[in-house]
Amino acid sequence: MVKFIAEYQVLIFALVKILIMLGFFLNLAPVLVFVERRQAALIQDRVGPNRAVIKLPGMILKGALATPALLAGLAIAALCFKVFPANPPETGVGRGFWMAELATLVLWSHALVLAGYVRVSEDAANPLEVALRDMRDPRWIFYTGGFLHLALAVLYGASSPANEAEVSKAFALGGPAALTLVLLMVGGYLGYRIPSGTVELRAAGLLHSIADALKFAFKEDFVPPKADKLLHSLAPLISLFPALVTYAIIPFGDSLCFGTTGGVLDVTKLADTASKIGACAEGQQAVSLQIADLNVGILYLFAMAGTGIIGAALAGWSSDNKWSLLGGLRAASQMVSYEVAMGLSLAGAFMIYGTPRLGEMVRWQAENTWGIFVQPLAFFLFFAAAIAEQKRTPFDAPEGESEIIAGYFVEYSSFKFAMFYTGEYIELVTSSALLVTIFLGGWTMPFLNRDAVHVAFGDTVLLHAQMSHLTATILGVGIFFGKVLSLSFFQIFIRWTLPRFRYDQIMAFGWKFMLPAALGNIVLTGLLVLGAGSAGPSVVSGLSLLADASRFVVIGASAFIAVKFARLLLSPVERERFTQSNVAARVGRIGRTPETPMQA
Amino acid sequence: MGNGIIGKPIPRPSHDAKMQSYLPSIVAGIGVTVKHFFKNTKEIAFGQRNDPVLDAFEDGVTTISYPEQKRPYPERFRGVHRLTLREDGSPRCVACLCCSTACPAQCIHIVAGEYADADKKGWEKYPVSFVIDELRCIFCGYCVEACPCDAIRMDTGQHAVPYDSRDQFIYERGTLMSFSDPTGRQLTENPKDDPGLGHTPDRLKHH
């Protein structure tokens, strides 16, 4: 077995990476469909997709939620106090810090969930739950949690040589102990509190999109009698193809470093630390978290995305339908036009990064600053062009209910339609991933180094917390997927906010604004790059200080958005009641508005 | 006088950079979308959705998601007709044809019949067939006003539901007798108008 893995490890690594990316992209598609349909429901005042349900016995849910927590708690206790004891304390201090932070996170997030549950269900079983129910604003749990996180970081960062031994010991022993205790507590409480009867699992309606996807497989596959049978079947394949191959070159994490046995990479010898971004120590081998690190880089992506045009045009032509032909023509001309602006808007970024490879672009951003700060105009141009490429609102001329029905896929049903649909959403995720990689720092976050969280301005170090290689890499992958998820949601929100352009406006915008702006951006960037290259050391150090400042801007903005978002999500639901109208008076007597159980 | 037409001066919208770039407005608009999406989805998922009639309008989307949520009709809403019953389950209707005469839309058709044991009961006529075409009905309520026995009422609190075909809108006697008022009552509220009872006014006794 070990020999087999050693022999085919390149292949196995590639397959695992493909599975990770495919899993993420294919799972995100139904999530985005759900978000899209919730928005439609909001605008048309329906409850929206929420009907698909799995009825679970409470015992299974109890086991599924409580067992992992309990097991993890016990495992941490066993590992930290028996297998890897923190003795001397210096070896376990970074580990202890992260465990203390994790324990805090688990504690306040579960307190919030419990508070929400008690306030809605109104059955408080013990004094703790009564207190949670009666507290005026549950947002204080979130604020307290955030304060605890900060306090821990300050405590950790403020360890001076005088008290370093005590602080190290406190973290090395206290961290694992706190995490174990919290996990056991939470696991036990989940097991005790989840009701034992049947629990309806709706996942907020997420199951509905999956049920719909299944339904597509059983629908009638209709081909118009005078359609070109071959091309009609080929078109959905051609338009799904680029969506499924483009993410191959997108890096989703920093490279993993492994030790070697006899010059061959050994999977069991994962490095403990790796300090330099994108590189490994002497005698180690790197596995880059990118399916294919092509030297043409992003050009591959443009080449593949370009074939999507053929799918849309073919679908429009082969359906033998005037509407779909018009839709296909519109789609083709729009995609060709915006392909130009899309490619040219990135030329400035190539000049600055000095490479078309996406992995190296991310590394440049990790060392300097995020691409959005050096190429702000290009970011907006590329974003707009990417939305136009996906034919989404406000650039959704290829479909239009009142003009050309559904455009080029009017005559498609069953799984062929589902293929167009899936392709569209995967393209959305791919474009988000691309934006994240080129402009928003990819898998990196400011102050998150390869081996530690390192907060510094110039030469002043504010906080330095060590991390293991594996933790840092997993964190990076999580950050990348989190960024892509947020940006995909953002694209959906754009669709449900902006009105659509007229077809001629789309063309005018593409050729008369986007293209000149992209060209101007190239000229300007070229001048600036030349200027910075020939400038003195004072300019360079000033720029580097600006880059440091931009990190604080990013962290500050992220924290601001996170707090705003939490405030919105956690806002109390209790509302003021009023009985002014005749109907309201009657409803007041009944108790509430007649409402069927929340089935939809 | 003689100055021609003086229009009302309306300030032109300013075309400054902030407005022409569209970006600030787009961001603000997306903010509104985000707010409604997350708030509303959270409330649906956790069953915290506000009551559109009773809760104040400031928070969230307060429109009514019909048919999942229904605004109750006012108490005196004229809904689908029902035929009230006696204690023994027979219709109170005595087939006097007052309602079908009063009906301006001529949507009520009654075929009268006679009980064999009319002497014992105290009332002799009953509707063999009682048909209302709910598509023709204009819901004016004249039939209810015309009825001397309180046998036809429109207090079901329901509107006629949409059907697939027209003949499903023709309600027969059995259908009309199966309806009840919103509290589930199939009898009448005013038993004093029953011709068979002792306290019935004389004018009805010899009906």
Side-chain angles (χ1 to χ4, degrees):
Chain A
M1 186 67 194
V2 174
K3 192 160 164 278
F4 176 81
I5 289 176
E7 205 152 321
Y8 293 101
Q9 58 185 211
V10 177
L11 195 64
I12 291 171
F13 275 130
L15 282 178
V16 169
K17 285 186 268 188
I18 289 173
L19 276 183
I20 292 175
M21 285 301 254
L22 199 63
F24 178 73
F25 277 58
L26 282 185
N27 281 314
L28 201 48
V31 172
L32 295 179
V33 172
F34 158 75
V35 176
E36 194 98 69
R37 292 176 57 181
R38 277 288 310 143
Q39 305 270 358
L42 278 181
I43 286 173
Q44 295 166 5
D45 192 29
R46 294 179 278 116
V47 174
N50 198 16
R51 278 186 205 276
V53 62
I54 296 177
K55 291 205 165 95
L56 277 182
M59 286 312 283
I60 289 185
L61 199 65
K62 262 185 198 190
L65 289 179
T67 321
L70 291 174
L71 283 183
L74 293 176
I76 284 166
L79 284 177
C80 289
F81 294 106
K82 281 278 172 213
V83 186
F84 307 116
N87 195 19
E90 290 77 41
T91 58
V93 58
R95 193 170 72 196
F97 171 69
W98 292 114
M99 285 190 174
E101 290 277 19
L102 191 60
T104 317
L105 179 73
V106 172
L107 200 61
W108 70 256
S109 55
H110 280 79
L112 264 180
V113 171
L114 185 62
Y117 175 75
V118 175
R119 287 164 94 89
V120 173
S121 71
E122 288 176 357
D123 64 344
N126 51 42
L128 168 72
E129 293 185 358
V130 171
L132 285 176
R133 186 193 63 196
D134 294 341
M135 76 183 298
R136 199 188 302 155
D137 193 341
R139 283 181 275 205
W140 281 105
I141 302 175
F142 169 73
Y143 297 144
T144 316
F147 175 74
L148 278 178
H149 281 303
L150 268 184
L152 276 174
V154 168
L155 193 68
Y156 184 78
S159 59
S160 60
N163 63 1
E164 198 171 350
E166 283 81 34
V167 171
S168 302
K169 201 167 175 199
F171 273 109
L173 294 177
L179 187 56
T180 308
L181 201 66
V182 164
L183 282 178
L184 291 182
M185 239 163 60
V186 164
Y189 205 85
L190 280 173
Y192 150 71
R193 205 60 181 86
I194 290 172
S196 341
T198 314
V199 178
E200 288 192 347
L201 183 68
R202 286 180 194 277
L206 280 173
L207 294 175
H208 202 97
S209 344
I210 297 165
D212 277 348
L214 282 180
K215 193 181 66 179
F216 270 127
F218 298 103
K219 291 259 176 163
E220 185 197 350
D221 180 15
F222 176 76
V223 181
K226 287 193 181 166
D228 187 320
K229 302 265 180 319
L230 175 68
L231 292 183
H232 189 266
S233 308
L234 204 59
L237 283 174
I238 294 180
S239 72
L240 187 61
F241 168 74
L244 286 178
V245 295
T246 37
Y247 60 76
I249 55 151
I250 294 172
F252 58 95
D254 210 340
S255 47
L256 274 171
C257 293
F258 288 99
T260 51
T261 356
V264 181
L265 187 149
D266 190 346
V267 205
T268 53
K269 287 187 188 164
L270 182 65
D272 289 332
T273 55
S275 48
K276 204 162 161 286
I277 283 191
C280 291
E282 206 54 36
Q284 289 180 342
Q285 281 195 5
V287 173
S288 71
L289 295 187
Q290 182 179 8
I291 296 170
D293 191 6
L294 302 179
N295 54 5
V296 290
I298 198 164
L299 299 179
Y300 161 81
L301 195 139
F302 284 138
M304 286 300 145
T307 57
I309 301 170
I310 304 172
L314 268 189
W317 183 79
S318 66
S319 299
D320 184 39
N321 179 319
K322 294 184 186 76
W323 309 124
S324 62
L325 181 61
L326 278 173
L329 282 177
R330 283 189 185 191
S333 57
Q334 175 179 331
M335 285 167 87
V336 168
S337 309
Y338 278 84
E339 197 101 330
V340 181
M342 193 175 177
L344 286 177
S345 70
L346 284 188
F350 295 154
M351 274 189 245
I352 290 180
Y353 299 146
T355 170
R357 290 184 172 213
L358 290 167
E360 282 168 31
M361 289 187 191
V362 176
R363 268 162 220 140
W364 188 92
Q365 293 177 67
E367 280 154 20
N368 299 285
T369 183
W370 281 11
I372 187 171
F373 293 113
V374 287
Q375 286 280 299
L377 180 62
F379 174 76
F380 287 109
L381 290 178
F382 186 76
F383 201 177
I387 295 176
E389 276 292 292
Q390 302 157 31
K391 311 175 280 289
R392 294 174 60 78
T393 317
F395 302 97
D396 66 339
E399 16 175 338
E401 199 64 38
S402 53
E403 312 153 20
I404 49 169
I405 327 173
Y408 58 90
F409 49 72
V410 165
E411 296 288 3
Y412 282 89
S413 60
S414 180
F415 219 75
K416 286 182 190 158
F417 175 72
M419 280 162 89
F420 277 118
Y421 216 67
T422 318
E424 210 169 275
Y425 281 96
I426 295 183
E427 265 170 37
L428 191 157
V429 187
T430 313
S431 76
S432 303
L434 208 57
L435 271 161
V436 163
T437 310
I438 300 173
F439 292 106
L440 299 176
W443 71 82
T444 64
M445 221 29 203
F447 308 128
L448 185 67
N449 284 6
R450 195 96 197 275
D451 55 348
V453 170
H454 184 80
V455 185
F457 186 76
D459 296 329
T460 332
V461 179
L462 300 171
L463 174 78
H464 184 91
Q466 208 67 32
M467 264 192 300
S468 79
H469 177 46
L470 187 66
T471 318
T473 312
I474 290 177
L475 210 56
V477 173
I479 284 170
F480 173 75
F481 285 143
K483 281 182 189 173
V484 175
L485 187 71
S486 326
L487 203 63
S488 306
F489 268 57
F490 189 73
Q491 294 209 42
I492 303 254
F493 293 135
I494 287 182
R495 170 169 180 186
W496 289 99
T497 304
L498 296 183
R500 61 205 294 264
F501 287 123
R502 225 167 42 214
Y503 179 64
D504 61 313
Q505 288 172 328
I506 291 182
M507 283 296 140
F509 186 69
W511 290 108
K512 291 186 192 163
F513 173 73
M514 300 272 287
L515 185 60
L519 290 173
N521 185 52
I522 293 175
V523 174
L524 192 68
T525 312
L527 291 177
L528 286 180
V529 166
L530 275 183
S534 59
S538 61
V539 175
V540 173
S541 67
L543 282 179
S544 120
L545 270 188
L546 270 184
D548 280 351
S550 76
R551 289 159 204 244
F552 282 96
V553 169
V554 167
I555 288 292
S558 316
F560 177 75
I561 291 172
V563 170
K564 268 277 223 194
F565 187 57
R567 272 186 64 82
L568 169 69
L569 273 191
L570 304 174
S571 57
V573 287
E574 293 84 9
R575 292 185 185 80
E576 200 187 324
R577 297 219 140 187
F578 70 97
T579 41
Q580 280 176 348
S581 67
N582 187 6
V583 175
R586 177 145 184 248
V587 175
R589 280 206 300 284
I590 304 169
R592 59 175 300 120
T593 318
E595 197 176 309
T596 47
M598 201 65 86
Q599 340 160 288
Chain B
M1 284 292 148
N3 289 339
I5 301 166
I6 302 168
K8 182 184 174 191
I10 294 173
R12 292 260 156 210
S14 66
H15 286 266
D16 53 358
K18 187 184 165 197
M19 192 191 173
Q20 286 287 291
S21 69
Y22 298 110
L23 282 178
S25 330
I26 288 177
V27 171
I30 289 172
V32 173
T33 315
V34 169
K35 189 181 130 202
H36 280 307
F37 171 76
F38 282 107
K39 202 169 168 57
N40 206 276
T41 305
K42 181 198 85 170
E43 287 172 5
I44 294 253
F46 292 110
Q48 302 168 330
R49 195 181 154 90
N50 53 351
D51 191 306
V53 181
L54 288 178
D55 286 341
F57 280 97
E58 277 82 43
D59 282 310
V61 178
T62 33
T63 46
I64 297 177
S65 296
Y66 187 87
E68 282 87 5
Q69 281 181 318
K70 291 185 179 111
R71 186 192 286 276
Y73 288 123
E75 267 170 308
R76 297 172 71 174
F77 168 76
R78 290 198 288 263
V80 162
H81 313 77
R82 70 178 173 111
L83 285 181
T84 55
L85 304 183
R86 293 201 177 92
E87 299 283 352
D88 62 353
S90 61
R92 281 174 63 91
C93 175
V94 291
C96 66
L97 308 192
C98 280
C99 53
S100 60
T101 311
C103 181
Q106 303 189 354
C107 66
I108 305 179
H109 183 258
I110 302 169
V111 177
E114 209 165 317
Y115 284 119
D117 50 352
D119 295 342
K120 241 187 288 170
K121 279 187 167 76
W123 48 80
E124 53 197 32
K125 284 174 79 187
Y126 74 100
V128 177
S129 136
F130 193 111
V131 178
I132 301 180
D133 185 346
E134 297 286 347
L135 274 184
R136 283 189 78 109
C137 177
I138 57 167
F139 295 92
C140 62
Y142 283 4
C143 52
V144 179
E145 281 179 36
C147 183
C149 315
D150 197 36
I152 185 167
R153 294 181 74 98
M154 296 174 81
D155 59 358
T156 46
Q158 302 166 12
H159 54 260
V161 281
Y163 294 114
D164 302 329
S165 65
R166 280 163 186 260
D167 44 319
Q168 283 169 297
F169 283 96
I170 296 174
Y171 284 5
E172 303 278 349
R173 196 185 94 147
T175 317
L176 292 166
M177 282 166 67
S178 68
F179 293 139
S180 58
D181 74 353
T183 57
R185 222 175 119 80
Q186 287 192 300
L187 305 182
T188 174
E189 298 284 332
N190 314 316
K192 68 178 168 55
D193 283 344
D194 199 320
L197 298 176
H199 50 69
T200 310
D202 285 346
R203 66 189 161 84
L204 287 178
K205 238 174 202 166
H206 312 290
H207 188 63

